[in-house]
Amino acid sequence: MRESLRARLVLWYGLVLTLVVVLYGGAVVYQSWRSMVAGVDAELEAYAREVNNALKPVDGGRFDLELPPDAATYFFKREGGRPYYIIWSQRGELVDQSDPDLQVGRPGNTAAGRREVVLQVASGATVLVGRDISDLRRGQWSLFLNVALAGIATLFVAIFGGWFVAGRALAPIKRISHTARAMSDGDLNARIAVEHTDSELEQVASTLNDAFDRLRLAVEQERRFIADASHE
């Protein structure tokens, strides 16, 4: 029964701790993903405004685009993320795009694995700026694995510690059981060591010791009565 109680205590402790770890780890991963996506959206919006500011309408419904150096470096020389821009005229005609080989749908049809920001220019043109977020997904997957491994390690250590603490907590009950068994086997002088008992069980141990004292007194009185009766 003691081991069964110990196992149940550790099981419930493990279940509660697992729930806490899963919720906390999930919140960390989710908030990290939201923060990274928000950062990418802010980055794209900033460069979309730079493209918008660099876009100048000319005669014949055409546009002239001269990107500032930082925007040109971002779109044409950046290694990770593969950022791109596309500009459509008010009639939906393609005006310019940073990567002619990149297949991008109309605004609102963002392909999987990309983030895009769309700006409507005062001249009627539409500016779309986007980038690949595969690097973010790899980073998020790496974070998920690290959080999962840390959670598993935490659960292992906590459950091992819980098993040890539960054993220490239930040890006084074992001592009480051994003392009661010794009394039932005839050792009337057996007593529970109250000084080695936790405060929650000290009162129980003291009460049982008092009961053992009364039991020994009753047995001794019975023995004296039998001895006196035999003598008579």
Side-chain angles (χ1 to χ4, degrees):
M1 178 63 69
R2 185 180 69 89
E3 293 297 328
S4 177
L5 177 59
R6 183 182 186 184
R8 288 200 299 271
L9 288 174
V10 174
L11 177 61
W12 277 107
Y13 173 71
L15 289 176
V16 172
L17 185 60
T18 300
L19 180 62
V20 171
V21 169
V22 169
L23 291 177
Y24 178 76
V28 168
V29 174
Y30 176 70
Q31 290 298 331
S32 173
W33 174 253
R34 287 193 59 184
S35 177
M36 289 191 295
V37 170
V40 170
D41 289 344
E43 171 189 295
L44 295 177
E45 184 173 354
Y47 281 103
R49 295 189 183 279
E50 288 204 28
V51 174
N52 177 28
N53 295 333
L55 189 64
K56 306 298 182 183
V58 294
D59 296 337
R62 295 175 300 169
F63 293 88
D64 185 20
L65 179 65
E66 185 175 352
L67 292 174
D70 61 328
T73 300
Y74 178 76
F75 287 111
F76 298 107
K77 296 182 180 180
R78 176 169 172 157
E79 295 295 334
R82 297 177 56 196
Y84 55 88
Y85 70 82
I86 300 179
I87 304 171
W88 291 279
S89 66
Q90 187 174 12
R91 293 177 295 181
E93 299 173 347
L94 179 63
V95 175
D96 189 20
Q97 68 180 94
S98 57
D99 186 355
D101 298 328
L102 185 64
Q103 300 296 324
V104 179
R106 296 288 296 176
N109 298 319
T110 304
R114 297 177 183 172
R115 295 292 294 184
E116 294 178 345
V117 170
V118 178
L119 284 182
Q120 297 295 331
V121 183
S123 59
T126 300
V127 175
L128 182 148
V129 174
R131 59 162 289 191
D132 184 87
I133 57 172
S134 299
D135 55 338
L136 269 66
R137 294 187 182 277
R138 288 192 297 269
Q140 194 69 7
W141 179 247
S142 177
L143 174 63
F144 172 78
L145 291 179
N146 290 333
V147 170
L149 291 176
I152 292 173
T154 301
L155 286 175
F156 178 79
V157 173
I159 290 176
F160 177 79
W163 183 265
F164 175 76
V165 171
R168 290 288 300 273
L170 296 175
I173 298 178
K174 183 178 180 180
R175 292 197 297 269
I176 292 173
S177 177
H178 287 172
T179 302
R181 188 177 297 110
M183 287 287 294
S184 65
D185 292 339
D187 184 6
L188 300 181
N189 294 318
R191 295 295 182 273
I192 302 170
V194 178
E195 64 275 10
H196 298 301
T197 305
D198 295 333
S199 58
E200 289 80 3
L201 295 175
E202 182 176 348
Q203 185 176 0
V204 176
S206 299
T207 302
L208 288 175
N209 283 338
D210 292 340
F212 293 157
D213 289 337
R214 290 193 296 271
L215 178 61
R216 185 185 67 176
L217 180 61
V219 171
E220 290 178 349
Q221 289 176 348
E222 181 182 2
R223 287 175 178 174
R224 285 197 298 269
F225 174 78
I226 293 175
D228 291 342
S230 299
H231 179 70
E232 294 294 331

mmCIF file of all heavy atoms in Angstrom, residues 71-92:
data_model
loop_
_atom_site.group_PDB
_atom_site.id
_atom_site.type_symbol
_atom_site.label_atom_id
_atom_site.label_comp_id
_atom_site.label_asym_id
_atom_site.label_seq_id
_atom_site.Cartn_x
_atom_site.Cartn_y
_atom_site.Cartn_z
ATOM 1 N N ALA A 71 18.021 49.974 -49.434
ATOM 2 C CA ALA A 71 16.956 49.143 -50.008
ATOM 3 C C ALA A 71 17.510 48.273 -51.130
ATOM 4 O O ALA A 71 17.143 47.092 -51.257
ATOM 5 C CB ALA A 71 15.821 50.019 -50.519
ATOM 6 N N ALA A 72 18.401 48.823 -51.961
ATOM 7 C CA ALA A 72 18.997 48.018 -53.024
ATOM 8 C C ALA A 72 19.813 46.870 -52.450
ATOM 9 O O ALA A 72 19.772 45.739 -52.959
ATOM 10 C CB ALA A 72 19.879 48.910 -53.901
ATOM 11 N N THR A 73 20.540 47.142 -51.388
ATOM 12 C CA THR A 73 21.307 46.071 -50.735
ATOM 13 C C THR A 73 20.372 45.017 -50.155
ATOM 14 O O THR A 73 20.634 43.810 -50.250
ATOM 15 C CB THR A 73 22.185 46.661 -49.616
ATOM 16 O OG1 THR A 73 23.081 47.623 -50.180
ATOM 17 C CG2 THR A 73 22.979 45.572 -48.927
ATOM 18 N N TYR A 74 19.268 45.461 -49.582
ATOM 19 C CA TYR A 74 18.311 44.536 -48.976
ATOM 20 C C TYR A 74 17.700 43.601 -50.020
ATOM 21 O O TYR A 74 17.603 42.383 -49.795
ATOM 22 C CB TYR A 74 17.215 45.330 -48.263
ATOM 23 C CG TYR A 74 16.132 44.482 -47.639
ATOM 24 C CD1 TYR A 74 16.347 43.802 -46.459
ATOM 25 C CD2 TYR A 74 14.876 44.386 -48.242
ATOM 26 C CE1 TYR A 74 15.342 43.033 -45.891
ATOM 27 C CE2 TYR A 74 13.870 43.622 -47.677
ATOM 28 C CZ TYR A 74 14.108 42.949 -46.503
ATOM 29 O OH TYR A 74 13.124 42.170 -45.944
ATOM 30 N N PHE A 75 17.312 44.130 -51.142
ATOM 31 C CA PHE A 75 16.607 43.322 -52.142
ATOM 32 C C PHE A 75 17.546 42.518 -53.047
ATOM 33 O O PHE A 75 17.174 41.424 -53.496
ATOM 34 C CB PHE A 75 15.716 44.212 -53.012
ATOM 35 C CG PHE A 75 14.499 44.720 -52.310
ATOM 36 C CD1 PHE A 75 14.376 46.066 -51.992
ATOM 37 C CD2 PHE A 75 13.484 43.863 -51.943
ATOM 38 C CE1 PHE A 75 13.254 46.540 -51.349
ATOM 39 C CE2 PHE A 75 12.350 44.325 -51.292
ATOM 40 C CZ PHE A 75 12.233 45.671 -50.985
ATOM 41 N N PHE A 76 18.738 43.018 -53.302
ATOM 42 C CA PHE A 76 19.576 42.378 -54.310
ATOM 43 C C PHE A 76 20.832 41.704 -53.766
ATOM 44 O O PHE A 76 21.442 40.895 -54.457
ATOM 45 C CB PHE A 76 19.980 43.408 -55.374
ATOM 46 C CG PHE A 76 18.815 43.988 -56.106
ATOM 47 C CD1 PHE A 76 18.415 45.295 -55.855
ATOM 48 C CD2 PHE A 76 18.105 43.237 -57.028
ATOM 49 C CE1 PHE A 76 17.336 45.842 -56.529
ATOM 50 C CE2 PHE A 76 17.031 43.785 -57.709
ATOM 51 C CZ PHE A 76 16.637 45.095 -57.452
ATOM 52 N N LYS A 77 21.228 42.035 -52.541
ATOM 53 C CA LYS A 77 22.470 41.475 -52.028
ATOM 54 C C LYS A 77 22.312 40.718 -50.712
ATOM 55 O O LYS A 77 23.271 40.183 -50.189
ATOM 56 C CB LYS A 77 23.498 42.601 -51.832
ATOM 57 C CG LYS A 77 23.892 43.284 -53.127
ATOM 58 C CD LYS A 77 24.956 44.349 -52.887
ATOM 59 C CE LYS A 77 25.346 45.022 -54.190
ATOM 60 N NZ LYS A 77 26.386 46.061 -53.990
ATOM 61 N N ARG A 78 21.123 40.698 -50.193
ATOM 62 C CA ARG A 78 20.915 39.985 -48.938
ATOM 63 C C ARG A 78 20.947 38.483 -49.197
ATOM 64 O O ARG A 78 20.345 37.987 -50.151
ATOM 65 C CB ARG A 78 19.585 40.385 -48.308
ATOM 66 C CG ARG A 78 19.253 39.608 -47.052
ATOM 67 C CD ARG A 78 18.093 40.205 -46.314
ATOM 68 N NE ARG A 78 17.675 39.336 -45.225
ATOM 69 C CZ ARG A 78 17.007 39.755 -44.166
ATOM 70 N NH1 ARG A 78 16.709 41.023 -44.051
ATOM 71 N NH2 ARG A 78 16.644 38.905 -43.231
ATOM 72 N N GLU A 79 21.624 37.753 -48.274
ATOM 73 C CA GLU A 79 21.789 36.311 -48.475
ATOM 74 C C GLU A 79 20.565 35.528 -47.998
ATOM 75 O O GLU A 79 20.029 34.681 -48.695
ATOM 76 C CB GLU A 79 23.032 35.833 -47.718
ATOM 77 C CG GLU A 79 24.340 36.399 -48.247
ATOM 78 C CD GLU A 79 24.647 35.944 -49.652
ATOM 79 O OE1 GLU A 79 24.175 34.869 -50.045
ATOM 80 O OE2 GLU A 79 25.353 36.674 -50.372
ATOM 81 N N GLY A 80 20.127 35.784 -46.767
ATOM 82 C CA GLY A 80 19.033 34.989 -46.208
ATOM 83 C C GLY A 80 17.681 35.646 -46.406
ATOM 84 O O GLY A 80 17.549 36.865 -46.447
ATOM 85 N N GLY A 81 16.652 34.829 -46.531
ATOM 86 C CA GLY A 81 15.295 35.336 -46.620
ATOM 87 C C GLY A 81 14.799 35.631 -48.020
ATOM 88 O O GLY A 81 13.607 35.659 -48.262
ATOM 89 N N ARG A 82 15.703 35.873 -48.982
ATOM 90 C CA ARG A 82 15.348 36.151 -50.374
ATOM 91 C C ARG A 82 14.233 37.201 -50.465
ATOM 92 O O ARG A 82 13.155 36.945 -50.998
ATOM 93 C CB ARG A 82 14.908 34.873 -51.085
ATOM 94 C CG ARG A 82 15.984 33.809 -51.187
ATOM 95 C CD ARG A 82 15.426 32.570 -51.841
ATOM 96 N NE ARG A 82 14.855 32.881 -53.143
ATOM 97 C CZ ARG A 82 14.035 32.071 -53.797
ATOM 98 N NH1 ARG A 82 13.663 30.919 -53.265
ATOM 99 N NH2 ARG A 82 13.577 32.410 -55.002
ATOM 100 N N PRO A 83 14.458 38.420 -49.966
ATOM 101 C CA PRO A 83 13.416 39.449 -50.059
ATOM 102 C C PRO A 83 13.195 39.873 -51.520
ATOM 103 O O PRO A 83 14.097 39.788 -52.344
ATOM 104 C CB PRO A 83 13.979 40.605 -49.222
ATOM 105 C CG PRO A 83 15.445 40.384 -49.207
ATOM 106 C CD PRO A 83 15.658 38.912 -49.264
ATOM 107 N N TYR A 84 12.002 40.320 -51.807
ATOM 108 C CA TYR A 84 11.648 40.712 -53.175
ATOM 109 C C TYR A 84 10.578 41.800 -53.129
ATOM 110 O O TYR A 84 9.900 41.981 -52.100
ATOM 111 C CB TYR A 84 11.140 39.513 -53.972
ATOM 112 C CG TYR A 84 9.986 38.791 -53.320
ATOM 113 C CD1 TYR A 84 8.662 39.184 -53.559
ATOM 114 C CD2 TYR A 84 10.207 37.719 -52.455
ATOM 115 C CE1 TYR A 84 7.601 38.524 -52.962
ATOM 116 C CE2 TYR A 84 9.153 37.053 -51.857
ATOM 117 C CZ TYR A 84 7.850 37.456 -52.108
ATOM 118 O OH TYR A 84 6.808 36.810 -51.509
ATOM 119 N N TYR A 85 10.443 42.499 -54.230
ATOM 120 C CA TYR A 85 9.355 43.459 -54.381
ATOM 121 C C TYR A 85 8.762 43.299 -55.772
ATOM 122 O O TYR A 85 9.430 42.894 -56.723
ATOM 123 C CB TYR A 85 9.836 44.903 -54.169
ATOM 124 C CG TYR A 85 10.723 45.441 -55.251
ATOM 125 C CD1 TYR A 85 10.200 45.958 -56.442
ATOM 126 C CD2 TYR A 85 12.110 45.457 -55.105
ATOM 127 C CE1 TYR A 85 11.019 46.452 -57.454
ATOM 128 C CE2 TYR A 85 12.941 45.949 -56.099
ATOM 129 C CZ TYR A 85 12.382 46.439 -57.268
ATOM 130 O OH TYR A 85 13.187 46.925 -58.255
ATOM 131 N N ILE A 86 7.486 43.643 -55.884
ATOM 132 C CA ILE A 86 6.769 43.640 -57.167
ATOM 133 C C ILE A 86 5.871 44.875 -57.192
ATOM 134 O O ILE A 86 5.246 45.210 -56.173
ATOM 135 C CB ILE A 86 5.923 42.369 -57.349
ATOM 136 C CG1 ILE A 86 6.807 41.118 -57.302
ATOM 137 C CG2 ILE A 86 5.165 42.406 -58.668
ATOM 138 C CD1 ILE A 86 6.039 39.838 -57.445
ATOM 139 N N ILE A 87 5.815 45.517 -58.324
ATOM 140 C CA ILE A 87 4.999 46.716 -58.472
ATOM 141 C C ILE A 87 4.046 46.521 -59.651
ATOM 142 O O ILE A 87 4.460 46.112 -60.740
ATOM 143 C CB ILE A 87 5.887 47.959 -58.729
ATOM 144 C CG1 ILE A 87 6.914 48.107 -57.601
ATOM 145 C CG2 ILE A 87 5.045 49.225 -58.849
ATOM 146 C CD1 ILE A 87 7.954 49.172 -57.877
ATOM 147 N N TRP A 88 2.760 46.782 -59.394
ATOM 148 C CA TRP A 88 1.746 46.733 -60.443
ATOM 149 C C TRP A 88 1.166 48.135 -60.650
ATOM 150 O O TRP A 88 1.064 48.918 -59.684
ATOM 151 C CB TRP A 88 0.606 45.789 -60.074
ATOM 152 C CG TRP A 88 0.971 44.338 -60.045
ATOM 153 C CD1 TRP A 88 1.069 43.493 -61.103
ATOM 154 C CD2 TRP A 88 1.289 43.565 -58.895
ATOM 155 N NE1 TRP A 88 1.409 42.238 -60.701
ATOM 156 C CE2 TRP A 88 1.559 42.242 -59.341
ATOM 157 C CE3 TRP A 88 1.372 43.838 -57.533
ATOM 158 C CZ2 TRP A 88 1.897 41.226 -58.482
ATOM 159 C CZ3 TRP A 88 1.718 42.824 -56.661
ATOM 160 C CH2 TRP A 88 1.978 41.533 -57.137
ATOM 161 N N SER A 89 0.790 48.411 -61.879
ATOM 162 C CA SER A 89 0.131 49.688 -62.162
ATOM 163 C C SER A 89 -1.319 49.626 -61.715
ATOM 164 O O SER A 89 -1.817 48.570 -61.304
ATOM 165 C CB SER A 89 0.201 49.996 -63.660
ATOM 166 O OG SER A 89 -0.574 49.053 -64.395
ATOM 167 N N GLN A 90 -1.990 50.756 -61.845
ATOM 168 C CA GLN A 90 -3.393 50.803 -61.442
ATOM 169 C C GLN A 90 -4.247 49.857 -62.279
ATOM 170 O O GLN A 90 -5.254 49.333 -61.809
ATOM 171 C CB GLN A 90 -3.911 52.240 -61.556
ATOM 172 C CG GLN A 90 -5.312 52.436 -61.001
ATOM 173 C CD GLN A 90 -5.702 53.895 -61.011
ATOM 174 O OE1 GLN A 90 -5.033 54.732 -61.618
ATOM 175 N NE2 GLN A 90 -6.806 54.225 -60.352
ATOM 176 N N ARG A 91 -3.834 49.585 -63.509
ATOM 177 C CA ARG A 91 -4.572 48.672 -64.395
ATOM 178 C C ARG A 91 -4.174 47.217 -64.207
ATOM 179 O O ARG A 91 -4.639 46.350 -64.935
ATOM 180 C CB ARG A 91 -4.354 49.102 -65.848
ATOM 181 C CG ARG A 91 -4.983 50.439 -66.196
ATOM 182 C CD ARG A 91 -4.680 50.855 -67.614
ATOM 183 N NE ARG A 91 -3.246 51.096 -67.805
ATOM 184 C CZ ARG A 91 -2.718 51.490 -68.963
ATOM 185 N NH1 ARG A 91 -3.499 51.660 -70.024
ATOM 186 N NH2 ARG A 91 -1.421 51.700 -69.043
ATOM 187 N N GLY A 92 -3.286 46.967 -63.251
ATOM 188 C CA GLY A 92 -2.877 45.596 -62.977
ATOM 189 C C GLY A 92 -1.709 45.118 -63.791
ATOM 190 O O GLY A 92 -1.380 43.919 -63.762
#
